[in-house]
C-alpha cells in the first residue's frame, strides 16, 4: 500500500534565495503563517495518511533535529539522513538515505507545499510498474519555467536547462521512486536528482502523473510571501 511508503524530504540546500532569512536557520524552519514551514508540511502529510518521514539534511540541519526530534510530538516518525562534510546534491542525498527508505518511497522537496492526494499518486505509481514517477503541472511558464514535455500520459523529455517549444508542464515537486532507480549512480558522490530522472526517461521508466491544482513553494521571497498570505487567510 502506498500509505506505507516513507516520504523523503529534500532539505539540505543552502537556501541562498531566501537570505538573510536563512543565514541562521534552514529553510524548513522559516516562519510561514506564524510557525515553521515544516509544521505545515507535516500537517499535509498526516492528512494524507503518511507518517514516516526521512529528512535529507545538511546546512544547519541540527536546528531541525533539535526542534522536531523523532516527530512523536507531531504524531509522525522522523528519521534523519545527513550529507556529511560535503553537499551531495538532491540525488546524492537520496542515495545516502536509501537504507532508511526501503524499496519504494515518495520524494518531496523541502520548500514545496502541495495540497493534493498523495496516496492517489502512490497508488498510480504502483500500477505503472515503472522505476519512477514525476508529478507534473500544466504551467505554460506561468509560475516558473516549464521543463517537461508531457503528452498522452507520457513524459517524453525532462530538461531544466534546455527549453523546448513542446514543454508546457513543470515538475510539480513530488515524486515516487523504487530504490533500483538509483542503482547505476555512484554512492557518496554529488548527484542531481534531475540526472536520475532524465536517465529514467531515456529508459522509459519514468511515468507521469498530472496534477490539476497549482503548487506553492517557499523557495523564493515571492513564493514565501504568497504562501504566508494564503495560510493566514485560511487559518491553517
Amino acid at each position: 500500500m502506498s500509505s506505507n511508503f516513507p516520504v523523503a524530504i529534500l532539505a539540505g540546500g543552502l537556501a541562498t534565495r531566501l537570505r538573510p532569512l536563512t543565514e541562521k536557520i534552514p529553510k524548513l524552519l522559516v516562519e510561514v503563517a506564524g510557525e515553521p514551514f515544516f509544521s505545515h508540511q507535516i500537517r499535509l502529510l498526516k492528512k494524507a495518511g503518511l507518517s514516516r518521514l526521512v529528512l535529507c539534511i545538511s546546512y544547519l540541519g541540527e536546528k531541525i533535529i533539535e526542534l522536531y526530534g523523532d516527530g512523536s510530538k507531531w504524531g509522525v516518525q522522523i528519521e534523519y539522513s545527513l550529507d556529511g562534510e560535503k553537499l551531495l546534491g538532491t540525488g546524492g542525498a537520496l542515495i545516502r538515505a536509501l537504507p532508511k527508505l526501503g524499496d519504494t518511497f515518495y520524494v518531496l522537496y523541502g520548500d514545496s507545499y502541495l495540497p493534493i492526494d498523495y496516496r492517489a499518486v502512490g497508488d498510480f505509481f504502483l500500477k505503472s510498474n515503472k522505476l519512477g514517477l514525476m508529478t507534473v503541472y500544466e504551467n505554460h511558464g506561468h509560475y516558473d519555467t516549464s521543463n517537461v514535455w508531457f503528452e498522452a500520459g507520457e513524459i517524453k523529455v525532462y530538461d531544466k536547462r534546455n527549453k523546448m517549444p513542446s514543454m508546457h508542464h513543470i515538475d510539480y515537486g513530488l515524486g515516487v521512486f523504487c530504490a533500483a532507480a538509483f542503482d547505476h549512480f555512484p554512492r557518496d558522490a554529488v548527484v542531481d536528482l534531475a540526472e536520475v530522472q532524465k536517465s529514467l526517461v531515456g529508459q522509459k521508466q519514468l511515468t507521469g502523473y498530472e496534477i490539476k491544482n497549482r503548487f506553492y513553494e517557499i523557495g523564493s521571497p515571492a513564493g514565501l510571501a504568497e504562501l504566508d498570505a494564503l495560510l493566514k487567510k485560511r487559518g491553517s
Side-chain angles (χ1 to χ4, degrees):
M1 291 177 59
S2 61
S3 59
N4 295 328
F5 297 168
V7 183
I9 299 179
L10 294 168
L14 299 176
T16 53
R17 288 191 295 167
L18 287 181
R19 290 187 175 174
L21 285 177
T22 50
E23 286 180 350
K24 295 184 178 179
I25 60 170
K27 193 186 312 185
L28 276 186
L29 300 188
V30 168
E31 185 175 301
V32 181
E35 61 184 325
F37 175 66
F38 187 39
S39 295
H40 296 286
Q41 274 196 327
I42 289 175
R43 194 173 294 118
L44 275 182
L45 294 170
K46 277 186 66 180
K47 185 178 179 181
L50 303 174
S51 59
R52 294 175 55 211
L53 314 181
V54 177
L55 266 60
C56 298
I57 57 175
S58 183
Y59 175 69
L60 299 177
E62 67 279 359
K63 293 183 179 291
I64 302 170
I65 298 172
E66 182 180 343
L67 183 58
Y68 288 92
D70 63 4
S72 56
K73 290 182 180 178
W74 283 265
V76 296
Q77 175 189 330
I78 301 177
E79 293 185 84
Y80 300 91
S81 177
L82 283 72
D83 276 13
E85 294 183 0
K86 65 177 181 179
L87 294 177
L88 296 175
T90 47
L94 286 172
I95 291 168
R96 192 176 186 91
L98 286 177
K100 300 177 187 294
L101 293 170
D103 292 335
T104 311
F105 49 90
Y106 292 95
V107 174
L108 177 65
Y109 290 108
D111 56 8
S112 293
Y113 184 83
L114 310 177
I116 59 170
D117 188 341
Y118 289 76
R119 290 170 69 173
V121 175
D123 291 343
F124 183 87
F125 173 72
L126 286 174
K127 294 175 183 177
S128 75
N129 293 315
K130 304 285 188 180
L131 291 177
L133 175 148
M134 177 188 288
T135 52
V136 298
Y137 174 73
E138 194 170 2
N139 181 51
H140 290 286
H142 181 58
Y143 298 111
D144 205 338
T145 304
S146 297
N147 52 30
V148 179
W149 175 8
F150 178 74
E151 186 177 309
E154 180 183 351
I155 294 179
K156 296 184 177 294
V157 177
Y158 172 57
D159 197 317
K160 294 195 292 186
R161 294 188 181 132
N162 302 303
K163 174 72 174 171
M164 298 173 60
S166 52
M167 289 178 171
H168 303 304
H169 290 72
I170 190 170
D171 177 2
Y172 187 77
L174 176 71
V176 192
F177 294 91
C178 292
F182 300 86
D183 280 354
H184 302 296
F185 289 85
R187 271 48 185 162
D188 293 318
V190 178
V191 178
D192 191 331
L193 179 57
E195 294 305 311
V196 179
Q197 292 164 315
K198 287 173 68 175
S199 173
L200 292 177
V201 171
Q203 301 169 52
K204 296 190 179 300
Q205 284 292 324
L206 186 69
T207 191
Y209 185 97
E210 186 171 16
I211 303 288
K212 297 300 185 180
N213 304 328
R214 62 153 295 188
F215 59 89
Y216 297 91
E217 50 81 24
I218 64 158
S220 65
L224 173 60
E226 182 183 33
L227 183 60
D228 182 68
L230 175 72
L231 294 181
K232 283 178 177 175
K233 183 178 179 180
R234 289 182 181 175
S236 174

